[in-house]
Amino acid sequence: MAEHADDATHKPETMMEKIADKLHIGGDHSSSSSSDSDNDERPRPSAPPAPAAPAASEVTTASFADSASAAAADAKDKMFRLFGREQPIHKVLGGGKPADVFMWRNKNISAGVLGGATAVWIIFELLGYHLLAFLCHGLIFSLGVLFLWSNASSFINKSPPQIPEVIIPEDLVLNIALSTRHEINRAFANLRQIALGHDIKKFLIVIAGLWLLSILGSCCNFLTLIYIVFVVLHTVPVLYEKYEDHIDSYGEKGWIEVKKQYAVFDAKVLSKVPRGPLKDKKN
């Protein structure tokens, strides 16, 4: 009987233990689920924002601006230029120091050169001074001042004048002579081609240029003509560089009109003029 009582008391305990174990397991699940929910509710660090991609409208605008600038550059390159030039006016004038003077890159030097040329023109043209007399009087004055200064320096306890030794380099003279020879030979070759009647257009241009020079020569002397050319070189290139596009547009219109008139003149007159042989006959 005692054994049966122990078994009876042991059975309810085991049942209670099982119920407690089940409740404990359920509590673990609830606690784990609550911890998971707590973890879910915690704020997570936000990822760094990705760089914003350029909008399609901005890309389209940039590409359109690039294409427009490229088209404008091509149009400017293909624009009509006076005398068919393909380089800036500074390069046409030589691109060195003389071009800098004519284009007023240094205003003080350009103004000094133009003022000196104006003074020379006033002395020889307006005052009637002759070149030989001017050179002789200038040398007399300079040599007299230097001679007196050199002899008087020992009496007044001052240093004598430092007169630099002037030597013309041989290379400079040879280069100038070779350049002059090349230009003269080229001019003679062009004149020969014109005289042979190979190019009527060039013949008419040369004749018109010589006729204009003869008119200017009858109106003024050689010195005044040189001074006019000098002043033109100091003014026209600067103005042309400043208003280049406007001048070229008017020049294009004028050149089209000249070509029309030349076509009419060629059809009525030049086509009836007999021309010389295209090539010289070999002996």
Side-chain angles (χ1 to χ4, degrees), residues 250-276:
Y250 288 114
E252 184 178 9
K253 295 178 182 179
W255 181 246
I256 293 173
E257 186 64 27
V258 169
K259 289 176 69 175
K260 290 180 181 179
Q261 298 299 326
Y262 176 77
V264 174
F265 183 72
D266 188 16
K268 292 183 178 180
V269 179
L270 298 181
S271 60
K272 300 178 182 180
V273 177
R275 301 186 180 184

Side-chain angles (χ1 to χ4, degrees), residues 38-238:
D38 292 339
N39 292 332
D40 292 337
E41 292 176 357
R42 290 177 183 175
R44 295 180 180 179
S46 59
S57 60
E58 294 179 357
V59 175
T60 306
T61 305
S63 61
F64 179 75
D66 294 338
S67 61
S69 61
D74 294 338
K76 189 173 183 180
D77 292 337
K78 296 179 181 179
M79 189 180 296
F80 175 83
R81 298 299 181 191
L82 288 179
F83 310 110
R85 64 179 183 84
E86 298 179 354
Q87 296 179 344
I89 191 66
H90 187 269
K91 292 291 185 181
V92 174
L93 294 175
K97 292 183 178 180
D100 293 338
V101 173
F102 292 141
M103 299 301 295
W104 293 79
R105 294 293 188 262
N106 191 329
K107 295 182 179 181
N108 294 329
I109 295 176
S110 300
V113 172
L114 184 59
T118 304
V120 170
W121 179 76
I122 291 173
I123 290 172
F124 292 111
E125 184 64 24
L126 298 182
L127 301 181
Y129 227 105
H130 297 285
L131 178 61
L132 183 60
F134 178 77
L135 292 177
C136 292
H137 292 168
L139 288 174
I140 289 171
F141 178 77
S142 300
L143 290 175
V145 170
L146 293 174
F147 180 80
L148 293 176
W149 187 0
S150 299
N151 290 314
S153 60
S154 58
F155 297 101
I156 60 178
N157 296 325
K158 288 188 177 182
S159 61
Q162 300 294 328
I163 302 174
E165 184 178 2
V166 180
I167 298 176
I168 299 176
E170 183 178 0
D171 296 338
L172 178 62
V173 177
L174 291 176
N175 291 332
I176 293 174
L178 291 175
S179 300
T180 305
R181 172 181 170 275
H182 175 71
E183 295 297 331
I184 292 174
N185 289 335
R186 189 174 67 173
F188 283 155
N190 290 330
L191 292 176
R192 180 176 178 274
Q193 293 296 324
I194 293 170
L196 290 174
H198 293 168
D199 194 345
I200 298 179
K201 183 178 180 180
K202 188 180 291 185
F203 169 77
L204 293 176
I205 292 174
V206 171
I207 293 299
L210 293 175
W211 181 63
L212 290 175
L213 284 177
S214 66
I215 294 176
L216 291 175
S218 62
C219 297
C220 57
N221 56 14
F222 183 72
L223 180 62
T224 303
L225 182 61
I226 294 297
Y227 177 69
I228 291 173
V229 172
F230 198 78
V231 173
V232 167
L233 287 174
H234 273 80
T235 54
V236 173
V238 178

